[in-house]
Amino acid sequence: MDLKTFKLLHPVKYYKDYLENNIRPDGRELEDLRPLAISFGVINSADGSAIVKLGNTTVVCGIKAELAAPKALEPRQGFLVPNVDFSPVCSPSYRPGPPSDEAQVHSRSLADAISNAHCIDLQDLCISPGKLVWALYCDLTCLDHDGCVFDVAIISLVAALHTVKLPTIQYNHDTGETRTDTSTFSPLSVHCVPVTTTFVMVSDRLITDPTSEEEKLASTTLTVTVSDGKMSFFNQSGGDPFDSAALKNCTDSALKRERSVRRMIQSMMNKLKGGKDQ
């Protein structure tokens, strides 16, 4: 029996043979992360955009800013609305049609993660209290799904937010008319860089940054979101609990990754502004 057939018929045994030697089929050790690449301003028609690639997983984010009336109970707050879409080209598992349950869960989790980290102050989006605010519609499309889509999506969203520039809006309180001044644009204030790291248990081994195959074999999945050196979002699914040592390893790894991604984004923004790397 050739190796490809053996993997197809006995996927758990195939992975277990590797994991027992503390290595994965792609050559990584259990705690190794895949290479990360970020590009800004990839969609000219958007008000902000970025594309992020982690290994073979790729997510592009485009942001459109539109004027809207605020909620009656939150007259000074604008809107940040993430929407995740799994394109049929990203994986054979997805088909054209309305958003899948997975896409809706990711959209809601993204909104929660950004809110819990206080990444954006929605009051910064207020133009006239009770009358007019900015609504940022953030469309995220998965172009290639090879695991950890949520990790890539949140980096893509935060990177795109760094590129948003809003025109000056003049609002007439008497007539309700608005005038857009496109001669001056103000950058959106992004107060932190929340970064999520995913961990899974496969055959009682803790794996960092799993591929899609590893996610399918996982008995437990843990996601840790870190912002400014502190955990801001935490989610665990599955039946096997993580012991204290495993949880510490996860948090240490998540903290290290957050520092790395934050430095990467700050360095790229400095280059765009013509400044020096920090």
Side-chain angles (χ1 to χ4, degrees), residues 208-226:
T208 306
D209 183 20
T211 63
S212 58
E213 288 183 345
E214 291 165 344
E215 288 181 336
K216 292 175 183 177
L217 297 174
S219 58
T220 306
T221 300
L222 174 71
T223 57
V224 180
T225 303
V226 176

Side-chain angles (χ1 to χ4, degrees), residues 57-94:
T57 299
T58 306
V59 176
V60 61
C61 177
I63 300 177
K64 290 295 291 182
E66 296 183 4
L67 297 175
K71 295 179 181 178
L73 298 179
E74 298 171 338
R76 295 180 177 272
Q77 293 189 11
F79 302 93
L80 178 68
V81 186
N83 180 61
V84 177
D85 177 56
F86 288 97
S87 165
V89 303
C90 78
S91 168
S93 302
Y94 301 103

Side-chain angles (χ1 to χ4, degrees), residues 1 3-19 25 202-203 212-214 216-218:
M1 184 184 299
L3 190 61
K4 185 176 182 179
T5 304
F6 179 78
K7 177 183 177 182
L8 182 63
L9 297 176
H10 308 285
V12 176
K13 172 63 175 172
Y14 173 82
Y15 265 89
K16 190 173 182 180
D17 290 343
Y18 278 94
L19 298 180
V202 178
S203 297
S212 58
E213 288 183 345
E214 291 165 344
K216 292 175 183 177
L217 297 174

Side-chain angles (χ1 to χ4, degrees), residues 225-238:
T225 303
V226 176
S227 176
D228 282 341
K230 299 178 181 179
M231 284 197 301
S232 60
F233 191 70
F234 183 96
N235 183 63
Q236 180 177 336
S237 60

Side-chain angles (χ1 to χ4, degrees), residues 95-269:
R95 297 288 183 270
S100 63
D101 291 341
E102 182 182 1
Q104 294 182 54
V105 168
H106 278 349
S107 298
R108 184 66 260 170
S109 296
L110 272 177
D112 290 341
I114 294 296
S115 175
N116 292 340
H118 303 292
C119 177
I120 299 295
D121 187 349
L122 296 182
Q123 293 193 18
D124 291 343
L125 301 176
C126 180
I127 299 170
S128 178
K131 299 294 183 180
L132 197 65
V133 298
W134 283 111
L136 301 182
Y137 295 100
C138 313
D139 292 319
L140 299 102
T141 301
C142 180
L143 302 178
D144 200 344
H145 189 329
D146 190 26
C148 295
V149 169
F150 185 77
D151 299 3
V152 182
I154 195 169
I155 297 174
S156 178
L157 174 56
V158 173
L161 288 171
H162 276 81
T163 68
V164 171
K165 293 183 178 180
L166 301 174
T168 300
I169 301 296
Q170 297 175 353
Y171 178 74
N172 189 315
H173 291 269
D174 296 327
T175 64
E177 296 180 350
T178 60
R179 179 174 173 271
T180 303
D181 183 1
T182 56
S183 63
T184 57
F185 287 80
S186 300
L188 181 67
S189 296
V190 183
H191 302 289
C192 62
V193 179
V195 177
T196 295
T197 306
T198 296
F199 308 86
V200 297
M201 279 287 189
V202 178
S203 297
D204 297 324
R205 297 298 182 100
L206 179 63
I207 294 177
T208 306
D209 183 20
T211 63
S212 58
E213 288 183 345
E214 291 165 344
E215 288 181 336
K216 292 175 183 177
L217 297 174
S219 58
T220 306
T221 300
L222 174 71
T223 57
V224 180
T225 303
V226 176
S227 176
D228 282 341
K230 299 178 181 179
M231 284 197 301
S232 60
F233 191 70
F234 183 96
N235 183 63
Q236 180 177 336
S237 60
D240 296 334
F242 283 57
D243 59 32
S244 58
L247 286 174
K248 186 178 187 306
N249 288 338
C250 292
T251 54
D252 289 346
S253 178
L255 288 165
K256 182 178 179 181
R257 188 186 205 186
E258 183 261 347
R259 290 192 295 268
S260 174
V261 174
R262 177 157 40 93
R263 286 195 297 265
M264 182 184 296
I265 291 179
Q266 289 175 344
S267 175
M268 294 177 68
M269 288 301 298

